[in-house]
């Protein structure tokens, strides 16, 4: 229920209770996390109570969100009781806002959790990035050109035998393929003891050699 519609008719007791909880969730996000919500519709939503810190996994939340449209991205910060969902269109995010606000989901322990959704600006995604990089880590922007990106995409073989190669899955709106290790959506992690046998596509070797050369150059510049 959108608070902007309060004046149009008298809210029921249940609606008033829900509205109070939604506003409380909004204030909690701002006070404790610095996440500011907006009163107008955007493509992005913050889903209070729908986070890994609440015991809600990606496998549980994503199908719920996808019932309202194509989820362009789902960000679930570690140990946080909320997540961010970005839809392909604003119409889809508005549908999710109306449909899923107050919806019950069951967490990993079988407990019922009620979701509270609010709109956020796109800028929130950048604000969640770490402010400082760990020692020795360097970020190189645009290291892959558009042509190289196309080559990498074309190197992915969707027809090979998945029993003996890399893990491949079909989700509701997309296909995914894992290299090196299978990504487990239920806990946003991998099992380091179970590497995949397929390895990386051969084309990755040339990119790795290029990046190593670039790293050596940057290191030499840093030393001088």
């Amino acid at each position: 229920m959108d608070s902007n519609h309060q004046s149009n008719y008298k809210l029921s007791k249940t609606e008033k209770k829900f509205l109070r909880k939604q506003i409380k969730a909004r204030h909690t996000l701002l006070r404790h996390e610095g996440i500011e919500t907006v009163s107008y519709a955007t493509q992005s939503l913050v889903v209070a109570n729908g986070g890994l810190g609440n015991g809600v996994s990606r496998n549980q939340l994503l199908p719920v969100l996808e019932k309202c449209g194509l989820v362009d991205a789902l960000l679930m910060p570690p140990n946080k009781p909320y997540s961010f969902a970005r839809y392909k269109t604003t119409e889809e995010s508005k549908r999710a806002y109306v449909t899923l606000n107050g919806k019950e989901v069951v967490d990993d322990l079988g407990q019922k959790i009620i979701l509270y959704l609010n709109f956020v600006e796109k800028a929130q995604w950048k604000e969640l990035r770490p402010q400082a990089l760990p020692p020795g880590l360097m970020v190189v922007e645009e290291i892959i050109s558009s042509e190289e990106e196309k080559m990498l995409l074309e190197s992915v073989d969707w027809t090979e035998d998945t029993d003996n190669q890399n893990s491949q899955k079909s989700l509701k709106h997309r296909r995914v393929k894992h290299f090196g290790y299978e990504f487990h959506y239920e806990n946003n992690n991998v099992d380091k003891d179970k590497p995949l046998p397929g390895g990386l596509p051969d084309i990755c070797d040339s990119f790795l050699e290029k990046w190593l050369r670039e790293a050596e150059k940057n290191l030499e510049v840093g030393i001088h």
Side-chain angles (χ1 to χ4, degrees), residues 3 13 52 54 59-60 62 66 91 96 102 121 149 161 173 186 192 200-201 208 215 224:
S3 58
K13 185 176 180 180
L52 297 173
N54 283 74
N59 276 352
Q60 292 168 319
L62 187 57
E66 287 181 327
E91 287 301 315
E121 283 287 1
E149 180 181 339
D161 183 1
H173 291 291
E186 63 273 10
K192 295 181 180 179
L200 296 173
L208 180 59
H224 294 302

Side-chain angles (χ1 to χ4, degrees), residues 167-183:
S167 177
Q168 180 173 314
K169 293 181 179 180
S170 292
L171 303 180
K172 184 175 181 180
H173 291 291
R174 65 189 186 277
R175 292 181 299 172
V176 297
K177 195 175 186 91
H178 305 277
F179 296 94
Y181 295 89
E182 181 179 0
F183 183 80

Side-chain angles (χ1 to χ4, degrees), residues 39-94:
S39 58
Y40 50 88
T42 66
Q43 288 177 252
S44 301
L45 292 159
V46 58
V47 186
N49 291 344
L52 297 173
N54 283 74
V56 178
S57 69
R58 181 177 294 267
N59 276 352
Q60 292 168 319
L61 184 60
L62 187 57
V64 174
L65 296 171
E66 287 181 327
K67 290 179 180 179
C68 298
L70 179 58
V71 178
D72 197 31
L74 175 59
L75 177 63
M76 303 186 75
N79 304 316
K80 296 294 184 179
Y82 58 84
S83 60
F84 291 91
R86 184 173 64 214
Y87 282 89
K88 203 71 175 177
T89 67
T90 303
E91 287 301 315
E92 290 171 318
S93 66
K94 287 168 64 176

